[in-house]
Amino acid sequence: MRINQIQPANFAFRAKRNDYITKKMLEPTIKKAAKNDTFVKGASTILSAVAVTELLSEFGLTYFNVKDETIYSAAGYNGGFFSLKFNNTPSESIPTIFVQGLLKEGRTAFGGLLNYKDMTEDLKRQDIIQKGLQLHTYEMNPNIPLEMIYYASSKLSNLTKKTIKHDDLFFIDSEAFYYDKLEKTAYSLDVSQKKYEKTNPTLRICKFETDDRGNAIGYTTTAMNLFIRKPTETSYREQLSVSEELPDVADKNNNKLYAEAFRFGNAKNLYINKDAISSVLKHLEERVKVSSPASDMLQFVKLYDKQGNKVKRICYYDPTIGRSLVYNEEGKYIYQMEYNRDSFGNIVACGKY
């Protein structure tokens, strides 16, 4: 598996309005696939567009788009983003093949996509998952031979002393992954090592750290260090408090402290109209689906705008996406603030999203 060093980043898994699944969306696909024996061989019935839509929803997939023989799919606001490549397949037939694959193969379909989705929904932060597992792609590998799948489950069972079945795994590039939800730990090995029969496969372990709500905030990875030829640990933990006393008015000329002001607040006693607070909490509950939002979840910021005027902002840090939702002093949502972090998890800068 090719591994690239990636800087911490937060990605939005949001769909454009016209990319959400509708009842009419898949109707032409289903009708065309019904005339092609290659795609429906072995299937007892052809699903209606309504059934396809409902099934995708039952699998937890709320966004679905096909472009250049590649599926782009996501599982809600913070449920993760996934992609899947189909080779030499008409794009209009891919939705049918995708749904039929999930129905027939379940958790083993398309490189164990549902297992990866469940892991992402459990930890919420797919950016932290990718960094901890050293992944450079969202694309599942559906082309792992059955022999390799059983090899991976057998070797992972032996190395972890756990009972790991072949349908517990997911595959990205040439690497097999198993996620233990109770331990918040992922185990992986490169299945391509099987061709070297005398080589013992190398196990990588990534234990995720979560906050009191179960959202990932960091990890500790144990993996073989090729330079010293023994396993070593690498840790990452997001900054959870200010690095120093923040200025009373945030200035973007110091982007680090400006970012920390939005993340943690620099004006706890700042006067904000009660109606504005109520408006923010209503938006969080109804639109962001925050359970029982309260004013003590908010951060208050005083800053200089582009004209040098002092303005107020109300922020809510969403730990499920790693960004702050920013509201003006009237309580109107205006944008999100995205944080750039170094390799240890410390905030170094920010930018509007």
Side-chain angles (χ1 to χ4, degrees):
M1 173 180 178
R2 184 183 66 185
I3 296 176
N4 295 337
Q5 178 67 30
I6 58 175
Q7 287 299 316
N10 298 308
F11 300 95
F13 309 122
R14 296 185 298 177
K16 296 179 181 178
R17 181 175 181 179
N18 292 334
D19 286 335
Y20 284 94
I21 301 164
T22 65
K23 293 182 179 180
K24 293 183 179 179
M25 172 183 167
L26 298 174
E27 194 70 52
T29 301
I30 302 299
K31 290 180 178 178
K32 187 164 186 177
K35 300 177 182 179
N36 192 327
D37 291 339
T38 302
F39 301 132
V40 300
K41 185 177 181 180
S44 58
T45 59
I46 300 300
L47 299 172
S48 68
V50 175
V52 170
T53 303
E54 291 177 349
L55 283 166
L56 285 173
S57 178
E58 287 179 12
F59 284 121
L61 300 172
T62 58
Y63 167 63
F64 185 88
N65 191 23
V66 181
K67 184 177 180 181
D68 299 329
E69 297 184 327
T70 300
I71 282 179
Y72 299 94
S73 186
Y77 176 71
N78 48 24
F81 182 81
F82 320 96
S83 64
L84 190 71
K85 179 71 173 177
F86 287 77
N87 296 318
N88 303 316
T89 303
S91 294
E92 63 271 16
S93 302
I94 289 175
T96 300
I97 299 170
F98 183 67
V99 172
Q100 289 180 344
L102 292 175
L103 286 171
K104 293 176 184 177
E105 301 175 39
R107 310 205 69 79
T108 62
F110 308 118
L113 180 147
L114 295 182
N115 291 324
Y116 183 29
K117 181 182 74 68
D118 285 354
M119 176 185 180
T120 304
E121 289 181 332
D122 183 50
L123 294 170
K124 302 295 189 297
R125 295 285 301 278
Q126 192 173 17
D127 57 319
I128 291 181
I129 291 173
Q130 281 219 307
K131 188 169 175 61
L133 299 186
Q134 298 183 322
L135 302 177
H136 64 277
T137 179
Y138 296 113
E139 189 172 307
M140 310 300 297
N141 185 353
N143 301 311
I144 298 291
L146 191 60
E147 176 190 9
M148 291 291 193
I149 295 175
Y150 280 99
Y151 165 79
S153 63
S154 175
K155 286 297 182 181
L156 282 170
S157 295
N158 291 336
L159 292 169
T160 62
K161 309 303 180 186
K162 301 175 181 291
T163 302
I164 300 174
K165 301 177 181 178
H166 73 284
D167 57 358
D168 294 331
L169 308 177
F170 65 89
F171 295 84
I172 296 178
D173 285 342
S174 63
E175 198 153 6
F177 297 88
Y178 167 72
Y179 176 62
D180 188 318
K181 185 176 181 178
L182 293 177
E183 296 182 354
K184 306 294 182 186
T185 301
Y187 302 88
S188 63
L189 58 82
D190 191 339
V191 295
S192 67
Q193 293 181 2
K194 185 181 186 305
K195 60 186 177 182
Y196 306 106
E197 295 296 341
K198 295 183 180 180
T199 302
N200 292 321
T202 302
L203 179 69
R204 287 198 298 122
I205 304 172
C206 183
K207 184 173 181 59
F208 292 94
E209 182 181 355
T210 58
D211 62 17
D212 55 2
R213 294 188 177 185
N215 305 302
I217 57 174
Y219 60 82
T220 297
T221 298
T222 303
M224 181 63 68
N225 186 311
L226 298 178
F227 295 100
I228 62 177
R229 296 185 178 182
K230 67 178 184 179
T232 58
E233 285 190 356
T234 302
S235 294
Y236 171 87
R237 190 174 192 267
E238 288 192 341
Q239 180 180 337
L240 300 178
S241 61
V242 296
S243 60
E244 59 182 90
E245 185 176 351
L246 299 178
D248 293 335
V249 184
D251 188 338
K252 64 175 59 178
N253 289 325
N254 187 327
N255 200 254
K256 173 179 170 57
L257 296 185
Y258 185 78
E260 289 191 27
F262 277 85
R263 170 63 181 89
F264 304 108
N266 70 335
K268 292 183 179 180
N269 297 320
L270 188 65
Y271 173 76
I272 298 290
N273 187 289
K274 291 183 179 180
D275 290 339
I277 299 295
S278 298
S279 179
V280 170
L281 297 179
K282 182 178 179 181
H283 180 270
L284 290 174
E285 185 170 28
E286 295 181 357
R287 299 298 299 274
V288 189
K289 305 302 180 184
V290 176
S291 178
S292 302
S295 58
D296 59 2
M297 297 179 179
L298 305 177
Q299 296 82 44
F300 301 98
V301 185
K302 194 172 185 178
L303 65 144
Y304 291 111
D305 64 11
K306 292 181 179 179
Q307 289 73 40
N309 301 314
K310 295 178 182 179
V311 296
K312 305 171 185 177
R313 294 290 182 261
I314 307 168
C315 299
Y316 168 74
Y317 178 74
D318 189 340
T320 71
I321 59 174
R323 297 191 298 271
S324 289
L325 281 65
V326 183
Y327 303 80
N328 65 16
E329 55 189 287
E330 285 77 39
K332 180 182 178 181
Y333 170 76
I334 48 179
Y335 56 80
Q336 293 182 23
M337 186 64 79
E338 184 175 33
Y339 302 103
N340 299 323
R341 297 176 171 90
D342 62 20
S343 57
F344 300 101
N346 301 309
I347 293 174
V348 295
C350 66
K352 292 181 182 179
Y353 178 85

